[in-house]
C-alpha cells in the first residue's frame, strides 16, 4: 500500500473536523500508548467515533454501516456462534452464496479475517462499524449482555487468549517470535477453536494433497478445514515442541503431553503421533480439568441406579468394575466416585496409564513400561502403603486381574475398568483372562456397563413423534407411549445446528447376589448370567436409554445408534415367551419361581406344558 496508516486523517482535515496541530498531538500520544490512531482521536475528543469510522471506511474503500437501528434475521445471526462473535468482536450482516458479510471495528485486521474464514468455512467480506455498536448488536441479537469481562475476552487473534505457559523448551528466542509466526498462530487457533466448540479430540490427518482437521464434539467428528499439504511438517513440528516430543523422529509412534491455558482456564492435551503412508497423523485428546469435579448426580443415573451406585462405592472392600468401549466415560465415572470418597480419613491410590486428570488429595501413579513399571508392579507396591481405596486404570492381563482381586479380598475397595460390551460379559472376560471362577465370585461386588448419548439442546428442543420403526426397535410399550415426552433439537447457534449439546451416560448396573455368585462359581455362560441379572431387576443399556428418550433428555435415534440391536431383540423375544408366565408368575413368585429354572431344566422337563397351566 502506497498510503500510510494515518492517511484517513486527510479526509478529516479536508472536512474541517481535525486540525494539523490536533493530528500531531494524536500521533504523539499514539506513539507512546500503541493505540490505533482513530481510537486516539476519539479518546482526545477531536472527532466522534462515527466521523473517524466513516473517514477510515472512505479511505480504505470499505463499506460503513450504522448498526444502531439494524435488525438482522435470526438465520443470519446463527451462522456465527455467539462465542465467536463476542471473542472476535464481529457481527454477521448478510450472506450471498459462500460470501458472508461481517461487521468489524477494524477490517484491516487480516489475522481476524483469516481466523473467521477458518472457523466459519466461508469467504469473509468485512464491513466497518463502530465497536460500541457491534457490542450492542451482539447483546441485542444473541439475547445476552456481558459487562467488563467482554473486553478481557477480546484478545487480538490468539496471542493473549492462549498462554502456553509450560513450553519453556521452545526457548527465549521462540517466545520472542511467537507473535509473528503464522504457524504458531494457526496451531493456537486450532486449539482455541476446538476448546470453544467443546471438542474432546483434535484430529490432524495427512492426505496426498491436503491436511484434514477434524474435531470430535459430543462424540461425533466434524470436519473444520483442509489446509494445504505443505503445512503438515510445520504444524506437527510446532505441536511436538509444545509436547516435548522429538522433532527429528518421524518413523515411530510418539506420545507427549501439552499443558496450556486458554482464556484463563487450564487444559491438558495428550498428543499421539502415528506414522501413516501419507505422513504422521496427530490426535490430541483435550482433558478439561473441570470435568473431574462432576457430581455423581450429573452423570445421568436413574434414581434406583443412583442409590445402588452410592451403596456400592461405600462398601469397605470388594472390586467394582466399569466396562465399555474407549470414550464411553468410564474414567469420568470412576473419578466422580473417587471425589465422593476423597476425605481426610481415607487413603486413595491410583495406578493409571496415563494419568489423565490430577486429583488433589489422591496419590496417583503412572505406568511406565520403558522402565518396567507396569500395573502389577504398582499394585504390589501400593498395597504396602495401606490404602483404603485403589483405582486400577484398566485390567488387561491375568497378572493385573489376579493382584487386583487379591487386593479386594484383603480388605480394600478396588475400582477398575474392563473392555466388554455389557456388564455380564465382564465375568466371563475375567475367567477367560485366567482368574479362577471362585475368586471372581467372591471378590466382585458389582459391574456397570455404560455408554454416552447426546443430550437434546435445551435452547431449541421441540416435541416430535419418532418413526414407528424406532418405537418398535426400542421395544416401547403402549403404557410408556402414553406418558412419553419425546423431544428433538431444531438446531441453533447454541448447539452448532446439530440439535444436541452435551452428553449423559446410559447404564447397565449388575449387582452380584447369591444366585449370580453361584452361577459364576459354576462357570455359567454369559447369556445365563444376563438372564439371572435381568430377573433381579437389572435394566440393560437400551432400556435405560429408552427411559431417557421418553423423558425428552435424548432421542430414540441417538439411543438406537449407541446400543446394540441384537440384545433388545433377544430380550423382546424372551418377553413374548416369558411374560405370559411373568404376568401372573411374577405376582405369585413364591409358587411360580419355576419360571427361571424352567429355562435351566430344558433337558429334563418340558417347560411348555408348565407355562400353559401357569397362565390359566
Amino acid at each position: 500500500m502506497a498510503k500510510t496508516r494515518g492517511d484517513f486523517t486527510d479526509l478529516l482535515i479536508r472536512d474541517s473536523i481535525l486540525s494539523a496541530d490536533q493530528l500531531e498531538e494524536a500521533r504523539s500520544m499514539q506513539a507512546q500508548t500503541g493505540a490505533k490512531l482513530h481510537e486516539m482521536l476519539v479518546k482526545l475528543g477531536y472527532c466522534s467515533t462515527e466521523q473517524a469510522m466513516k473517514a477510515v471506511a472512505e479511505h480504505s474503500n470499505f463499506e460503513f454501516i450504522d448498526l444502531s437501528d439494524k435488525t438482522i434475521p435470526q438465520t443470519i445471526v446463527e451462522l456465527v456462534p455467539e462465542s465467536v462473535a463476542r471473542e472476535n468482536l464481529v457481527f454477521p450482516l448478510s450472506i450471498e452464496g459462500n460470501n458472508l458479510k461481517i461487521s468489524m471495528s477494524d477490517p484491516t485486521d487480516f489475522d481476524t479475517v483469516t481466523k473467521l474464514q477458518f472457523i466459519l468455512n466461508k469467504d469473509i467480506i468485512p464491513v466497518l462499524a463502530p465497536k460500541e455498536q457491534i457490542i450492542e448488536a451482539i447483546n441485542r441479537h444473541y439475547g445476552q449482555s456481558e459487562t467488563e469481562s467482554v473486553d478481557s475476552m477480546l484478545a487480538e487473534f490468539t496471542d493473549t487468549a492462549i498462554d502456553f505457559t509450560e513450553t519453556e523448551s521452545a526457548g527465549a528466542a521462540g517466545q520472542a517470535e511467537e507473535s509473528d509466526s503464522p504457524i504458531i498462530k494457526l496451531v493456537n487457533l486450532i486449539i482455541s477453536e476446538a476448546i470453544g466448540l467443546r471438542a474432546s479430540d483434535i484430529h490432524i490427518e495427512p492426505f496426498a494433497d491436503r491436511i484434514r482437521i477434524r474435531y470430535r464434539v459430543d462424540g461425533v467428528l466434524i470436519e473444520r478445514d483442509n489446509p494445504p499439504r505443505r503445512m503438515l511438517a510445520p504444524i506437527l513440528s510446532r505441536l511436538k515442541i509444545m509436547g516435548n516430543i522429538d522433532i527429528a523422529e518421524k518413523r515411530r509412534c510418539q506420545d507427549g503431553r501439552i499443558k496450556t491455558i486458554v482464556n484463563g482456564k487450564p487444559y491438558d492435551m495428550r498428543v499421539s503421533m502415528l506414522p501413516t503412508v501419507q505422513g504422521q497423523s496427530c490426535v490430541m485428546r483435550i482433558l478439561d480439568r473441570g470435568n473431574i469435579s462432576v457430581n455423581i448426580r450429573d452423570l445421568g443415573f436413574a434414581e434406583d441406579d443412583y442409590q445402588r451406585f452410592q451403596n456400592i462405592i461405600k462398601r469397605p472392600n470388594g472390586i467394582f468394575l466399569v466396562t465399555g468401549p474407549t470414550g464411553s466415560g468410564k474414567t469420568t465415572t470412576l473419578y466422580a466416585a473417587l471425589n465422593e470418597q476423597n476425605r481426610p480419613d481415607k487413603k486413595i491410590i491410583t495406578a493409571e496409564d496415563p494419568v489423565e486428570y490430577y486429583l488433589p488429595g489422591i496419590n496417583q501413579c503412572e505406568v511406565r513400561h520403558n522402565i518396567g513399571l507396569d500395573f502389577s508392579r504398582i499394585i504390589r507396591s501400593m498395597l504396602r502403603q495401606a490404602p483404603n481405596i485403589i483405582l486400577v486404570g484398566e485390567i488387561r492381563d491375568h497378572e493385573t486381574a489376579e493382584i487386583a482381586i487379591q487386593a479386594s479380598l484383603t480388605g480394600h475397595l478396588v475400582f477398575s475398568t474392563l473392555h466388554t460390551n455389557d456388564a455380564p460379559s465382564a465375568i466371563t472376560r475375567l475367567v477367560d483372562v485366567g482368574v479362577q471362577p471362585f475368586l471372581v465370585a467372591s471378590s466382585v461386588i458389582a459391574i456397570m456397563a455404560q455408554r454416552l448419548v447426546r443430550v437434546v439442546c435445551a435452547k431449541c428442543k421441540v416435541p416430535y413423534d419418532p418413526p414407528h420403526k424406532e418405537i418398535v426397535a426400542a421395544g416401547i410399550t403402549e403404557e410408556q407411549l402414553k406418558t412419553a415426552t419425546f423431544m428433538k433439537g431444531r438446531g441453533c447457534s447454541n448447539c452448532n445446528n446439530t440439535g444436541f449439546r452435551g452428553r449423559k451416560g446410559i447404564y447397565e448396573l449388575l449387582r452380584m447376589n447369591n444366585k449370580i455368585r453361584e452361577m459364576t462359581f459354576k462357570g455359567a455362560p454369559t447369556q445365563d448370567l444376563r438372564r439371572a441379572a435381568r430377573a433381579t431387576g437389572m435394566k440393560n443399556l437400551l432400556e435405560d436409554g429408552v427411559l431417557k428418550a421418553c423423558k425428552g433428555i435424548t432421542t430414540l435415534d441417538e439411543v438406537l445408534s449407541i446400543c446394540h440391536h441384537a440384545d433388545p431383540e433377544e430380550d423382546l423375544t424372551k418377553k413374548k415367551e416369558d411374560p405370559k408366565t411373568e404376568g401372573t408368575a411374577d405376582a405369585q413368585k413364591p409358587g411360580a419361581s419355576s419360571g427361571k429354572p424352567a429355562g435351566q431344566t430344558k433337558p429334563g422337563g418340558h417347560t411348555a406344558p408348565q407355562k400353559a397351566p401357569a397362565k390359566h
Side-chain angles (χ1 to χ4, degrees):
M1 247 196 214
K3 294 185 178 181
T4 60
R5 184 179 179 183
D7 280 355
F8 75 92
T9 56
D10 294 342
L11 301 174
L12 295 173
I13 293 174
R14 181 198 67 189
D15 296 336
S16 300
I17 297 172
L18 187 69
S19 69
D21 291 340
Q22 290 172 333
L23 175 60
E24 189 63 34
E25 182 186 354
R27 287 192 188 281
S28 174
M29 294 289 290
Q30 180 202 12
Q32 295 175 20
T33 62
K36 291 183 171 60
L37 182 57
H38 68 271
E39 292 177 350
M40 185 55 64
L41 289 169
V42 174
K43 187 173 183 180
L44 291 171
Y46 295 150
C47 67
S48 67
T49 301
E50 187 173 348
Q51 289 171 331
M53 290 288 101
K54 283 183 176 177
V56 171
E58 183 180 344
H59 173 262
S60 305
N61 292 322
F62 282 112
E63 180 186 348
F64 175 82
I65 187 167
D66 185 355
L67 290 173
S68 57
D69 57 352
K70 272 243 183 255
T71 301
I72 308 300
Q74 193 64 22
T75 53
I76 302 296
V77 174
E78 289 181 352
L79 292 173
V80 179
E82 182 181 353
S83 58
V84 174
R86 290 192 184 280
E87 182 179 346
N88 299 285
L89 200 63
V90 297
F91 186 73
L93 299 172
S94 63
I95 187 166
E96 187 174 337
N98 200 48
N99 297 325
L100 181 62
K101 189 179 283 189
I102 282 189
S103 60
M104 307 172 60
S105 60
D106 182 10
T108 60
D109 185 356
F110 300 114
D111 284 343
T112 299
V113 173
T114 304
K115 174 182 180 180
L116 292 172
Q117 286 177 336
F118 176 83
I119 293 174
L120 305 175
N121 199 22
K122 291 191 173 18
D123 295 327
I124 301 300
I125 300 174
V127 174
L128 197 62
K131 180 192 291 187
E132 295 77 12
Q133 291 187 11
I134 295 175
I135 294 173
E136 195 273 332
I138 290 172
N139 292 338
R140 189 170 71 246
H141 286 80
Y142 288 104
Q144 296 179 13
S145 61
E146 295 193 3
T147 54
E148 63 223 271
S149 62
V150 171
D151 290 332
S152 65
M153 291 173 63
L154 299 176
E156 189 171 329
F157 202 24
T158 53
D159 294 342
T160 55
I162 296 185
D163 174 26
F164 293 96
T165 55
E166 296 196 33
T167 54
E168 291 88 0
S169 58
Q175 291 175 2
E177 57 192 38
E178 184 166 322
S179 61
D180 302 323
S181 169
I183 289 298
I184 291 176
K185 287 184 177 181
L186 175 61
V187 170
N188 291 359
L189 168 62
I190 291 170
I191 293 171
S192 64
E193 211 239 330
I195 289 172
L197 290 172
R198 302 175 297 105
S200 58
D201 310 308
I202 302 172
H203 296 250
I204 301 174
E205 302 158 311
F207 294 95
D209 57 344
R210 65 188 176 101
I211 307 168
R212 182 169 69 178
I213 297 177
R214 297 191 290 174
Y215 304 147
R216 190 182 297 278
V217 181
D218 291 335
V220 178
L221 281 170
I222 56 173
E223 188 168 332
R224 297 302 293 174
D225 203 29
N226 293 281
R229 166 70 195 220
R230 58 185 168 78
M231 298 180 72
L232 178 65
I235 287 174
L236 294 185
S237 295
R238 172 60 182 164
L239 291 171
K240 287 184 177 183
I241 288 172
M242 293 168 65
N244 293 320
I245 301 173
D246 183 6
I247 296 179
E249 181 57 67
K250 294 182 173 65
R251 300 168 299 168
R252 289 189 289 189
C253 301
Q254 295 173 288
D255 294 301
R257 193 168 187 134
I258 296 173
K259 295 184 179 181
T260 179
I261 296 176
V262 180
N263 291 330
K265 193 174 179 182
Y267 292 88
D268 289 351
M269 288 185 289
R270 261 186 14 223
V271 185
S272 171
M273 299 283 178
L274 176 72
T276 70
V277 292
Q278 300 288 356
Q280 283 187 299
S281 171
C282 175
V283 174
M284 290 181 284
R285 178 87 182 271
I286 300 172
L287 306 172
D288 182 359
R289 297 180 191 175
N291 288 345
I292 63 172
S293 58
V294 64
N295 191 285
I296 293 177
R297 276 283 186 191
D298 299 329
L299 294 175
F301 284 112
E303 187 58 36
D304 53 347
D305 282 342
Y306 172 77
Q307 297 298 337
R308 290 175 189 152
F309 185 81
Q310 284 282 8
N311 291 336
I312 289 164
I313 64 174
K314 290 175 181 174
R315 291 279 293 271
N317 62 295
I319 185 164
F320 174 47
L321 296 172
V322 180
T323 76
T326 303
S328 59
K330 301 188 298 294
T331 302
T332 302
T333 298
L334 289 179
Y335 278 178
L338 289 183
N339 276 330
E340 184 88 359
Q341 297 288 81
N342 188 12
R343 298 193 300 270
D345 61 334
K346 291 192 176 179
K347 175 153 186 169
I348 303 174
I349 307 181
T350 73
E352 302 171 68
D353 182 19
V355 172
E356 292 191 356
Y357 301 101
Y358 299 111
L359 300 167
I362 292 176
N363 301 280
Q364 295 174 272
C365 307
E366 185 160 288
V367 169
R368 296 182 182 175
H369 296 290
N370 57 335
I371 59 171
L373 189 63
D374 52 19
F375 277 120
S376 56
R377 188 162 294 185
I378 291 175
I379 298 169
R380 283 197 192 94
S381 297
M382 70 167 60
L383 289 176
R384 302 188 193 107
Q385 300 272 322
N388 300 102
I389 300 171
I390 295 171
L391 169 66
V392 180
E394 184 184 344
I395 291 179
R396 297 177 181 173
D397 51 36
H398 167 69
E399 190 175 14
T400 306
E402 192 83 32
I403 298 171
I405 284 177
Q406 291 293 347
S408 71
L409 292 172
T410 54
H412 304 88
L413 180 60
V414 180
F415 296 148
S416 190
T417 68
L418 205 59
H419 287 286
T420 61
N421 288 330
D422 58 10
S425 301
I427 295 173
T428 313
R429 175 65 58 84
L430 287 174
V431 175
D432 290 343
V433 163
V435 181
Q436 293 295 327
F438 73 89
L439 288 176
V440 177
S442 54
S443 61
V444 175
I445 55 175
I447 303 164
M448 187 171 74
Q450 72 175 72
R451 301 288 189 279
L452 293 176
V453 293
R454 291 182 293 171
V455 174
V456 174
C457 175
K459 287 194 175 181
C460 65
K461 64 180 180 180
V462 292
Y464 88 110
D465 294 322
H468 179 68
K469 63 179 182 180
E470 289 183 6
I471 293 174
V472 173
I476 297 178
T477 63
E478 289 295 331
E479 289 74 16
Q480 286 178 307
L481 276 177
K482 289 175 185 175
T483 58
T485 307
F486 297 107
M487 306 296 287
K488 193 171 190 176
R490 290 194 314 265
C492 63
S493 59
N494 183 55
C495 59
N496 291 318
N497 295 309
T498 62
F500 297 96
R501 184 178 175 90
R503 289 188 291 175
K504 279 195 181 294
I506 56 175
Y507 302 96
E508 177 178 290
L509 183 56
L510 183 156
R511 290 188 69 183
M512 298 290 280
N513 55 30
N514 292 336
K515 176 69 174 175
I516 297 176
R517 290 187 197 281
E518 183 183 348
M519 295 174 69
T520 302
F521 181 75
K522 293 179 179 177
T526 302
Q527 57 268 30
D528 290 349
L529 292 168
R530 184 184 297 113
R531 220 172 278 130
R534 303 271 284 142
T536 57
M538 181 189 80
K539 292 193 301 286
N540 62 25
L541 290 167
L542 181 76
E543 289 171 336
D544 195 35
V546 166
L547 287 176
K548 289 179 171 61
C550 289
K551 292 178 181 177
I553 297 172
T554 186
T555 64
L556 277 183
D557 180 57
E558 176 71 8
V559 172
L560 292 171
S561 70
I562 298 296
C563 298
H564 294 286
H565 287 252
D567 289 344
E569 286 172 10
E570 185 179 301
D571 287 334
L572 283 174
T573 55
K574 285 186 178 65
K575 283 180 181 177
K576 285 176 184 175
E577 296 169 3
D578 290 330
K580 295 181 180 178
T581 60
E582 286 175 2
T584 53
D586 276 354
Q588 2 168 334
K589 227 160 193 165
S593 60
S594 57
K596 273 300 170 203
Q600 297 172 0
T601 56
K602 275 183 183 176
H606 298 283
T607 57
Q610 289 181 343
K611 285 184 181 178
K615 181 183 177 184
H616 300 295

